[in-house]
Amino acid sequence: MARQRRDSKMLNLRLCSSIAIILGFICCISGSVVVSKQLECEHYDLNRCRERGECETTKQTCDEVDADKQSHCYVVWLQGFDNSTGKTVINVQMKGCFTQNAACNQTECIDYSYEPKNNMSFCCCQGDFCNREQKWIPTPTKTSGNEEYPQLQGATDNVYTIVSLVAAFIVLTAMAVAGAYFLRKRTKKAHFNEVPTIEPEVTSSSPCLALRPITLIEMKARGRFGTVWRAQMKPDEVAVKIFPLQDKQSWQTEQEIFKLPRMRHPNILEFIGAEKHIDSSPTSYWLITVYHNRGSLCDYLKAYTVTWPELCKIAESMARGLMHLHEEIPATKGEQLKPAIAHRDFKSKNVLLKQDLTACIADFGLALIFQPGKPCGDTHGQVGTRRYMAPEVLEGAINFTRDAFLRIDVYACGLVLWELVSRCSAHGGPVPEYTLPFESELGPHPNLDEMQDNVVMKKLRPRINNQWRTHPGLSAMCDTMEECWDHDAEARLSSSCVMERVSQHTRYQTTQLLIESNTDPADNV
């Protein structure tokens, strides 16, 4: 009897401990709903150290994540044995923030794997700078054994008690998670104008794309910030722009632009989603958009001439897209404010053509957002593609205001209009091979000094062919492009004026001509 009473007391003590643990856990969950502190981790990247010489360990503040995920710190390191010294050598590869659905709640960064693959170890932990040190403690898999426990009187009552506690715990946990979810939704809505740059989950197929895997099919272009692929995201074809690790900022900038209010527009490239890939070596960042099989305006003009109606359709839709980009649309009762945006790398390569030959503007890696009442911030003025740079950009004499940056885009738009007119067959004469602006005068790769000397000092512009002036529509288009690339930035047309001018040009007499292909049809199969 005495032994049974002692055992019953021990069991009751365990029950009390369980209750305390459960209540403590519920308090932690409730507390996390009210107070949310961003995690801080040590950050290091061996690739950046080798490529850029940035070898210092720095502090990284983890981005805010969804309520059903957690931020952790991590370390990836290579562990080997030095025969000459007889000591274990540790080479840290990467440190930083890590987003994971499953819990990684240990306060120390410890890898318990018994045999690390390729001597590569990984650990993650929770707590500020918990990845300052890492450990490898190999732990063999334990075999489960059966243990016998004495049966006590009154055990049935205790089981009912435990079941009741577990049920109460589940209900309270569900309420806490629901509260966290609605609190997060309300917070997101209140701070939407700040344009959060939350990184997608670290997986090969992010949840925002509804778990639809993407298969890369064909590389279509290679540019300054990465490569563009035609890809399959069943059942659709999509375009995937892949940024290398060093161009992560451009990937984030493009997302910021696409996620701004009222950015969905028929003449702006349609955004689908973004992913961060750490399964590839090195880490890469993906931007997924709608795919347009005609490609860029530049590539199209290399292969085809255009008729007058086609020129008008391309020019008007392109100007309409640029006007929407530049326009600041005030907030209404149901819609938030859309700020003005300067593209800063406007060119025919960044204008895509849809199947019906309407244009849409792409590539916002250098774009600049102008929030009302806020300064431009720290930005470098001399960016973009050299041959499309306005005189004030080449000269380094930019007035850092919203209108000044928008006029730089209009200058480049004038050059793109020249490219279109140069490949138009409306005048009835021979159409020369496609050339880039200034290519005839300065060659295919002009340097900065040549551009400054000719565009700034000599005020050189692409040559307007006398034959273009024989067609009233082309002649009017030439007048428009000349007002776009005026040397005096303040004398240039606004993007809205360009759109109005181009839309008026369509009234001129048209000459219906078929598209003339300058390539063998077999090449397009």
Side-chain angles (χ1 to χ4, degrees):
M1 287 292 291
R3 181 180 176 184
Q4 287 180 352
R5 282 196 298 272
R6 185 171 64 253
D7 289 341
S8 296
K9 286 180 181 178
M10 288 293 292
L11 187 56
N12 289 332
L13 184 60
R14 289 174 186 166
L15 286 172
C16 292
S17 300
S18 300
I19 294 169
I21 291 169
I22 290 169
L23 290 174
F25 184 65
I26 293 169
C27 290
C28 288
I29 293 174
S30 303
S32 67
V33 174
V34 178
V35 180
S36 178
K37 179 182 178 296
Q38 286 181 292
L39 187 70
E40 293 182 336
C41 304
E42 283 200 351
H43 180 267
Y44 173 78
D45 188 334
L46 182 62
N47 289 330
R48 190 178 287 267
C49 177
R50 288 172 175 169
E51 293 171 5
R52 300 187 180 183
E54 299 173 6
C55 301
E56 293 183 1
T57 300
T58 58
K59 180 181 82 171
Q60 181 180 16
T61 302
C62 300
D63 289 334
E64 186 184 0
V65 295
D66 294 332
D68 60 338
K69 302 180 182 68
Q70 292 181 344
S71 289
H72 307 287
C73 302
Y74 78 93
V75 184
V76 177
W77 74 94
L78 194 64
Q79 193 159 282
F81 185 77
D82 190 339
N83 293 320
S84 60
T85 61
K87 295 181 180 180
T88 300
V89 179
I90 294 175
N91 291 315
V92 174
Q93 308 290 302
M94 296 180 77
K95 285 185 174 187
C97 294
F98 178 66
T99 304
Q100 178 68 301
N101 285 322
C104 186
N105 296 325
Q106 57 191 17
T107 55
E108 290 185 284
C109 207
I110 303 173
D111 180 11
Y112 290 103
S113 57
Y114 190 61
E115 294 181 351
K117 190 175 180 181
N118 299 323
N119 293 325
M120 191 74 76
S121 294
F122 169 83
C123 67
C124 60
C125 53
Q126 191 168 31
D128 288 340
F129 304 108
C130 62
N131 65 337
R132 189 165 282 152
E133 295 181 353
Q134 68 280 342
K135 298 177 184 177
W136 178 50
I137 304 177
T139 306
T141 306
K142 294 182 180 180
T143 57
S144 58
N146 295 324
E147 297 181 4
E148 296 182 358
Y149 294 92
Q151 296 181 354
L152 302 173
Q153 288 183 349
T156 305
D157 294 335
N158 292 330
V159 169
Y160 288 143
T161 305
I162 293 171
V163 170
S164 300
L165 285 170
V166 170
F169 164 71
I170 292 170
V171 171
L172 289 170
T173 303
M175 291 171 64
V177 170
Y181 174 77
F182 287 113
L183 180 66
R184 179 172 173 78
K185 275 190 78 174
R186 189 172 61 185
T187 304
K188 269 190 176 180
K189 194 171 287 186
H191 295 88
F192 186 81
N193 280 334
E194 294 175 13
V195 193
T197 54
I198 301 171
E199 289 186 3
E201 183 186 359
V202 184
T203 59
S204 60
S205 182
S206 81
C208 68
L209 300 176
L211 299 176
R212 294 158 66 187
I214 297 173
T215 305
L216 301 180
I217 298 173
E218 177 189 7
M219 189 171 74
K220 303 298 290 185
R222 183 184 295 275
R224 173 176 26 196
F225 294 127
T227 55
V228 178
W229 289 75
R230 177 171 67 90
Q232 189 74 38
M233 188 175 75
K234 291 184 178 179
D236 305 313
E237 273 195 330
V238 295
V240 178
K241 188 174 181 180
I242 301 179
F243 297 79
L245 184 63
Q246 62 268 24
D247 291 317
K248 177 183 174 183
Q249 182 57 53
S250 296
W251 173 73
Q252 288 181 326
T253 300
E254 288 222 47
Q255 285 188 77
E256 285 184 328
I257 300 297
F258 280 123
K259 291 176 182 178
L260 285 169
R262 308 193 206 182
M263 269 300 288
R264 281 198 176 271
H265 187 274
N267 305 121
I268 301 292
L269 180 62
E270 186 178 340
F271 174 69
I272 295 174
E275 295 183 348
K276 176 181 176 181
H277 286 244
I278 63 166
D279 55 352
S280 58
S281 181
T283 299
S284 62
Y285 299 88
W286 290 19
L287 196 78
I288 300 98
T289 63
V290 168
Y291 176 71
H292 298 295
N293 62 1
R294 288 193 183 274
S296 72
L297 175 60
C298 176
D299 293 334
Y300 187 83
L301 293 177
K302 286 178 183 177
Y304 302 102
T305 59
V306 292
T307 63
W308 173 247
E310 289 165 348
L311 182 149
C312 290
K313 178 180 276 192
I314 295 170
E316 184 177 349
S317 53
M318 176 184 74
R320 197 177 296 277
L322 186 61
M323 180 185 74
H324 182 76
L325 199 66
H326 286 183
E327 188 178 12
E328 180 183 298
I329 305 175
T332 61
K333 204 168 188 179
E335 296 278 358
Q336 294 181 333
L337 176 138
K338 178 211 164 284
I341 302 160
H343 191 284
R344 298 210 298 167
D345 195 19
F346 194 83
K347 57 184 178 180
S348 55
K349 271 284 186 185
N350 292 336
V351 176
L352 304 182
L353 294 181
K354 299 182 182 181
Q355 193 62 36
D356 64 353
L357 286 185
T358 55
C360 62
I361 298 172
D363 199 341
F364 301 106
L366 293 173
L368 206 54
I369 302 169
F370 301 98
Q371 295 287 1
K374 294 183 180 179
C376 297
D378 296 330
T379 183
H380 193 282
Q382 204 169 59
V383 298
T385 303
R386 195 174 296 132
R387 73 171 65 250
Y388 290 89
M389 286 182 179
E392 62 270 27
V393 178
L394 292 167
E395 199 174 8
I398 300 175
N399 181 12
F400 283 79
T401 62
R402 184 190 75 170
D403 289 347
F405 281 106
L406 301 187
R407 291 181 189 119
I408 291 167
D409 283 350
V410 171
Y411 172 89
C413 181
L415 297 179
V416 177
L417 289 175
W418 177 88
E419 293 174 69
L420 264 171
V421 171
S422 73
R423 294 291 285 157
C424 183
S425 56
H427 51 73
V431 179
E433 291 294 316
Y434 170 81
T435 56
L436 289 163
F438 302 109
E439 187 173 356
S440 300
E441 296 84 359
L442 303 177
H445 305 291
N447 59 40
L448 187 61
D449 289 338
E450 288 173 328
M451 290 297 295
Q452 287 173 337
D453 184 47
N454 286 276
V455 175
V456 180
M457 305 305 295
K458 297 178 182 177
K459 299 184 180 180
L460 178 71
R461 298 294 183 271
R463 189 174 72 87
I464 292 177
N465 194 315
N466 290 332
Q467 203 169 26
W468 302 347
R469 292 291 187 182
T470 63
H471 184 279
L474 291 179
S475 182
M477 196 71 76
C478 290
D479 293 338
T480 299
M481 71 176 71
E482 285 181 319
E483 290 188 70
C484 286
W485 67 40
D486 197 293
H487 199 82
D488 180 2
E490 294 187 1
R492 291 173 200 153
L493 299 174
S494 66
S495 55
S496 59
C497 285
V498 175
M499 196 280 295
E500 288 174 11
R501 289 277 192 92
V502 172
S503 63
Q504 289 171 4
H505 297 340
T506 58
R507 73 177 185 269
Y508 291 103
Q509 183 182 1
T510 63
T511 304
Q512 281 297 121
L513 294 172
L514 295 173
I515 297 177
E516 298 173 18
S517 174
N518 289 292
T519 59
D520 188 337
D523 294 340
N524 297 321
V525 176

